[in-house]
Amino acid sequence: MQSPRLLDAGEAALVAEFGTTVDPAIHDRVLALDDALRAAPPEGLRETVPTYRSLMIHYDPLVLDRDDLADRVLALAAQPGKARPGAALWTLPCCYDPVCAEDIGAVAQATGLSVERVAALHAGAEYRVYMYGFAPGFAYLGGLPAELAVSRRATPRPPHPANALIIGGGLAGVGTFPMPTGWYVVGRTPERLYAPHRPEPFPVAVGDTLRFDAIDAATFSALERRAAAGELVARRREAA
Amino acid sequence: MNPRLSILSAGPGVTLQDGGRHGYLRYGITAAGPMDPLAHATAHRALGNALGATAVEVSLGGVEVTAEGGPLGLALAGGEFRVSLDGAPLPPSCALTLHPGSHLVVRPGRAGAWAYLAVAGRFDLEPTLGSTATHTRSGFGGLDGRALRAGDRLTVAEARPGPADPQALVAPWLVRPPEEIRVVLGPQDDFFAEDQIAAFLAGPWTVTTKGDRMACFLDGTPLTHAKGYNIVSDGIAMGAIQVPGEGWPIVLMADRQSTGGYPKIATVIGPDLGRLAQAQGGTRIRFRAVDRAEAVAARRAEAQALAGPVAMEPLIRTDFSAEFLLGRNLIGGVVDGVQVP
């Protein structure tokens, strides 16, 4: 197996880069290294950040020597990857009604598809959670059908609603916090990927799989009330 | 009832910050925490507090406070702010006891952009994900996830008095000219040709007034990329210097996004983050590339400076006679003390 490139991000972070593209095989190696490091963290390891193609490893250089860390990373990365026991399949309810999907018409126009077809394509796919970034609980997803690969907006739109399903530049995401975005809002889930008052504030782990289950606006309102009260409204199932 | 620190006025960007919200970068949550970690730690060390405790981070907006319900021991450390207690000037880094009815005023001075006001004891706050660090963009931490404003009252638990008379902190490690900032090149320096790395290091760069807790924006001759400026997003460390398409470097600071998609030419070393953060708009800086060993040695020196208590010196008082001062053999120490920024 090819060794990752090791890149220093200052004197307190090391990046193990497995590739430069969005690719499930590359991401599997990122997650395997992340799991292995976290299973037996060397003293001085602070935290790790899995991304599409690399693992950023924050460490205390007064406790953990960079070259010792690098040796450990290379040794772990050379081991054959194990199946991830924690990877789960989630089904998130998602409302594609224009009330929730403010930009679905614009996506339909850009792709030449009907609004119904855009919703069906988005709901019919399986998505991998590649990473969180940008904002708390903002999940970057891979697996968007090629027909929905619209380019980003030329200029960002005003803040999207909380828990919006957004697409742009061939990627999909779940935007938990209202933020201006260069992507398009195609739906909204009542589920919260960041819920600070639940025992598990982040139910979905990087590497998990997401599916969306289309619901109408009335069901959305009902589930939104339950989710706001702290209930987990998504369904979770361990991967086979 | 516990005493309270009462905010009489606060300019924009004054927030509560502890040592940072660590362990959640993988969920898109940035640590926040102090812009100048060394000054934050110095203020706490001067009072005998835990180093990661919560302090008021004073921005260039300045702040005016008083105590309610009892006296409060306070320490202030950071940039060269203009500080006064009931109208009498104090050095920018000092410790004191603030009594109810007294006013402590902290206003921006000729240098420095951040100062830390710590209380002897601890602010009684509800942490979010284990931390009180305010991240205003996410709306959590501190007081309701927002900047402080006039009328806010911060309850202090386990309050202790400070020195009976105001003292100057002897913290020479806070004297850090911002003109030269040390960096470790990378992680994406291979996106720049050699002449562009040289241009980056030659500078000079001017710190703009656009900066905030998220980033420090630099003005100068734009850099060009050797192989485009889009990368598939990866992690961003505090101090990462990203170069977007238009070529002006942006140094990502405490409230940065946790991941990003522009090449990062270099990373400011940990010990120089506060040095850069303290540079006011208009300051000209240069970057100097160092190896990891030098960066780690600088970290070690910083840790040693904070290992023991922070010495204090009485203030120069014009009503002392020369004989008194000579007899106490204090002049040298006093002068050193008040020169601390």
Side-chain angles (χ1 to χ4, degrees):
Chain A
M1 247 186 323
Q2 206 186 344
S3 294
R5 277 176 87 198
L6 297 184
L7 307 169
D8 289 289
E11 80 286 8
L14 183 67
V15 181
E17 187 182 272
F18 290 91
T20 55
T21 55
V22 180
D23 176 339
I26 291 171
H27 193 239
D28 280 343
R29 293 198 67 196
V30 172
L31 296 183
L33 176 62
D34 185 37
D35 287 346
L37 269 176
R38 278 157 37 101
E43 196 188 347
L45 184 86
R46 282 184 166 146
E47 58 184 303
T48 54
V49 190
T51 70
Y52 284 110
R53 60 195 180 88
S54 63
L55 186 70
M56 178 170 259
I57 304 160
H58 294 269
Y59 64 99
D60 178 353
L62 300 186
V63 177
L64 179 55
D65 178 73
R66 186 267 188 197
D67 291 335
D68 291 347
L69 173 62
D71 288 347
R72 163 108 56 146
V73 165
L74 292 176
L76 290 172
Q79 290 173 6
K82 277 182 275 184
R84 288 175 54 78
L89 170 65
W90 293 88
T91 304
L92 271 61
C94 178
C95 176
Y96 296 97
D97 186 290
V99 173
C100 290
E102 295 168 16
D103 302 332
I104 200 163
V107 172
Q109 207 156 33
T111 55
L113 302 167
S114 67
V115 165
E116 293 73 24
R117 181 73 187 139
V118 170
L121 281 167
H122 188 271
E126 244 184 33
Y127 302 85
R128 171 189 286 241
V129 179
Y130 273 96
M131 65 177 199
Y132 288 99
F134 184 62
F138 184 105
Y140 285 88
L141 311 179
L144 185 73
E147 297 98 306
L148 297 182
V150 289
S151 70
R152 289 160 193 251
R153 292 164 177 276
T155 51
R157 53 155 279 161
H160 59 70
N163 310 310
L165 281 304
I166 55 180
I167 65 171
L171 295 172
V174 185
T176 37
F177 276 68
M179 292 272 184
T181 181
W183 295 13
Y184 293 85
V185 178
V186 296
R188 202 175 163 200
T189 176
E191 188 49 72
R192 276 93 166 122
L193 298 192
Y194 169 59
H197 304 300
R198 284 203 302 237
E200 271 191 278
F202 306 96
V204 175
V206 172
D208 285 355
T209 301
L210 300 189
R211 279 183 191 157
F212 298 108
D213 185 17
I215 53 172
D216 60 24
T219 310
F220 175 86
S221 299
L223 290 175
E224 171 68 18
R225 276 193 298 276
R226 284 162 54 186
E231 189 182 332
L232 192 71
V233 297
R235 293 193 306 278
R236 180 182 199 273
R237 164 159 87 70
E238 297 303 323
Chain B
M1 196 174 172
N2 286 324
R4 295 163 305 283
L5 183 72
S6 174
I7 309 293
L8 299 173
S9 73
V14 176
T15 58
L16 289 159
Q17 297 295 338
D18 66 5
R21 186 172 286 103
H22 299 288
Y24 297 97
L25 280 172
R26 63 173 47 243
Y27 296 111
I29 296 188
T30 292
M35 289 291 282
D36 182 351
L38 186 62
H40 181 270
T42 300
H44 283 304
R45 179 60 88 201
L47 296 170
N49 289 344
L51 288 191
T54 311
V56 175
E57 182 179 82
V58 184
S59 67
L60 287 169
V63 75
E64 182 175 356
V65 298
T66 189
E68 289 180 0
L72 292 172
L74 298 178
L76 188 71
E80 289 183 55
F81 281 62
R82 290 178 291 120
V83 184
S84 66
L85 179 63
D86 295 326
L90 294 181
S93 289
C94 57
L96 64 142
T97 300
L98 185 66
H99 293 276
S102 276
H103 287 201
L104 179 72
V105 179
V106 183
R107 297 268 175 258
R110 63 171 192 85
W114 305 98
Y116 295 87
L117 183 62
V119 291
R122 59 179 176 81
F123 289 118
D124 190 15
L125 296 163
E126 191 64 39
T128 301
L129 299 174
S131 164
T132 62
T134 310
H135 192 252
T136 52
R137 280 184 172 79
S138 309
F140 54 58
L143 210 61
D144 304 328
R146 59 166 172 81
L148 295 176
R149 58 189 182 215
D152 286 338
R153 289 179 170 80
L154 303 165
T155 302
V156 179
E158 295 152 43
R160 304 182 305 274
D165 295 314
Q167 306 272 308
L169 303 189
V170 184
W173 53 83
L174 293 182
V175 182
R176 292 162 294 169
E179 286 74 20
E180 185 184 275
I181 305 294
R182 290 168 290 181
V183 299
V184 172
L185 289 176
Q188 278 102 25
D189 48 324
D190 60 337
F191 273 69
F192 302 87
E194 254 176 55
D195 67 322
Q196 291 304 295
I197 301 273
F200 165 71
L201 294 172
W205 301 99
T206 303
V207 175
T208 70
T209 52
K210 192 173 138 192
D212 59 8
R213 281 183 47 85
M214 190 174 182
C216 168
F217 296 85
L218 300 175
D219 199 5
T221 308
L223 302 173
T224 57
H225 302 76
K227 43 183 181 181
Y229 52 82
N230 285 301
I231 59 169
V232 174
S233 287
D234 71 349
I236 299 178
M238 183 167 171
I241 306 173
Q242 70 175 19
V243 184
E246 71 262 28
W248 286 292
I250 299 171
V251 191
L252 294 153
M253 301 299 283
D255 283 0
R256 71 196 181 281
Q257 295 168 3
S258 60
T259 59
Y262 292 117
K264 296 167 281 291
I265 191 169
T267 309
V268 176
I269 70 169
D272 281 3
L273 288 171
R275 187 189 292 270
L276 176 65
Q278 291 289 5
Q280 289 184 359
T283 306
R284 276 154 70 98
I285 64 166
R286 271 177 217 277
F287 294 109
R288 179 163 71 85
V290 298
D291 59 14
R292 286 194 316 275
E294 182 170 341
V296 174
R299 266 183 191 254
R300 194 162 281 124
E302 202 171 80
Q304 276 160 4
L306 289 171
V310 177
M312 299 193 195
E313 300 273 7
L315 304 183
I316 288 181
R317 283 178 47 185
T318 49
D319 52 343
F320 285 143
S321 69
E323 288 77 3
F324 174 85
L325 289 171
L326 287 168
R328 302 278 301 253
N329 193 25
L330 276 175
I331 289 176
V334 169
V335 171
D336 286 350
V338 295
Q339 281 177 346
V340 169

